[in-house]
Amino acid sequence: QICLSLVKLLFYLAHSPLGSIALLDFQPRQFVMVDGNLKVTDMDDASTEELSCKEDNDCTLDFPTKSFPLKCSMAGKCEGINEKKNLFNAYRYFFTYLLPHSAPPALRPLLSDILNATGDLRYGINETLRAFEKVLHLYKSGLYLQKRPLLLKDYISLKGFRTVEGEGHKCWPSYSHLGCLLSIHSAEEAAAICNSQLHCQSFIVTQHRTWTGRPLASFQSSWTDLVPDTNAVLYIKRSASSGERL
């Protein structure tokens, strides 16, 4: 969410009515999340000026660990230098820390491609935004899910129930540090996640949703202490419920 919102912001800056705008003091502290969108808190160090040049050799974009040769345009300006400066700063301050984590395994190669392409400045902001929107579409639609055996049939469902809240088994990444709370596309995906976890015996699908509209599921190592909850569905492994009376 943070990276996509940042890319949308940089897309606007690259195509603003004032021309391509560079954020000269590009640091994480210069941004804040407002209603799920990344905002710039200080525009004092923004500039529409692009480096003047006479030849390509005048257009080197330098960073502490990398340098990029750019083209000198017919107008005597280094082509796209503001856009590329913003994009590489997004890569080194945000993408490298956020993109490799939390995504479903099937989507990680696509995010790795974005990371590598922006780190080498092979992508401009237009290509970067399209790549992010493709990943978002796959994530929201569930098209990233690979064909696999149907596992939900191995679970008993109890509508209108959940387990008593408490510290459950931990997993990573989790929306809650007290247990294992993950976003899912469907109960079928939740069943596959539960089967992949050593201690998981049940999971609860709630009506709480993430910013992409995906429901949240809580994965449990037990299913005792049931309480009524009209907004939840509890799924219990048949193997875990054998010999017990529901």
Side-chain angles (χ1 to χ4, degrees):
Q1 182 181 13
I2 293 171
C3 291
L4 175 63
S5 187
L6 176 59
V7 169
K8 288 181 177 179
L9 172 62
L10 297 188
F11 179 86
Y12 173 79
L13 294 178
H15 302 285
S16 83
L18 300 175
S20 184
I21 299 175
L23 301 177
L24 303 181
D25 186 18
F26 198 115
Q27 300 283 341
R29 64 173 179 268
Q30 298 283 29
F31 299 89
V32 64
M33 290 292 285
V34 180
D35 297 328
N37 295 306
L38 207 65
K39 306 286 186 181
V40 182
T41 60
D42 185 1
M43 291 293 289
D44 289 346
D45 293 311
S47 173
T48 58
E49 292 295 320
E50 292 196 309
L51 186 65
S52 298
C53 57
K54 293 183 179 179
E55 57 184 24
D56 291 350
N57 288 338
D58 298 329
C59 295
T60 301
L61 184 56
D62 289 316
F63 292 95
T65 59
K66 270 189 175 182
S67 295
F68 300 94
L70 305 180
K71 296 289 185 181
C72 182
S73 71
M74 296 293 291
K77 299 290 184 180
C78 296
E79 286 186 358
I81 192 168
N82 286 350
E83 173 187 330
K84 293 180 185 299
K85 185 180 296 183
N86 287 342
L87 191 53
F88 189 79
N89 278 327
Y91 159 80
R92 66 179 180 143
Y93 287 119
F94 287 89
F95 297 172
T96 53
Y97 297 104
L98 299 177
L99 285 188
H101 310 293
S102 304
L107 291 178
R108 289 174 193 168
L110 297 178
L111 294 177
S112 180
D113 288 344
I114 294 175
L115 192 64
N116 293 332
T118 52
D120 295 335
L121 286 184
R122 287 185 284 110
Y123 279 1
I125 191 62
N126 296 354
E127 295 87 353
T128 303
L129 180 57
R130 281 197 297 270
F132 267 103
E133 288 178 336
K134 176 183 177 181
V135 174
L136 179 63
H137 172 67
L138 294 173
Y139 186 59
K140 291 174 69 174
S141 65
L143 291 174
Y144 69 91
L145 293 170
Q146 301 170 345
K147 290 184 177 179
R148 64 183 74 185
L150 297 179
L151 302 173
L152 198 58
K153 66 182 186 304
D154 298 328
Y155 288 77
I156 297 169
S157 65
L158 295 176
K159 293 182 179 180
F161 287 93
R162 62 172 173 82
T163 55
V164 175
E165 292 185 7
E167 285 203 22
H169 77 280
K170 308 291 195 300
C171 70
W172 188 92
S174 173
Y175 284 85
S176 169
H177 67 280
L178 295 177
C180 184
L181 186 65
L182 303 174
S183 77
I184 57 169
H185 174 68
S186 63
E188 186 64 54
E189 183 183 17
I193 293 173
C194 189
N195 277 26
S196 70
Q197 296 178 352
L198 181 62
H199 300 292
C200 185
Q201 297 296 320
S202 64
F203 60 89
I204 305 159
V205 178
T206 72
Q207 291 190 358
H208 297 293
R209 295 181 179 271
T210 69
W211 66 281
T212 60
R214 289 162 57 97
L216 290 172
S218 176
F219 297 85
Q220 311 283 330
S221 55
S222 67
W223 56 273
T224 55
D225 300 324
L226 303 187
V227 294
D229 186 340
T230 57
N231 296 319
V233 182
L234 172 64
Y235 293 85
I236 305 167
K237 278 185 180 179
R238 292 183 184 275
S239 58
S241 64
S242 60
E244 302 286 346
R245 296 181 64 185
L246 294 180

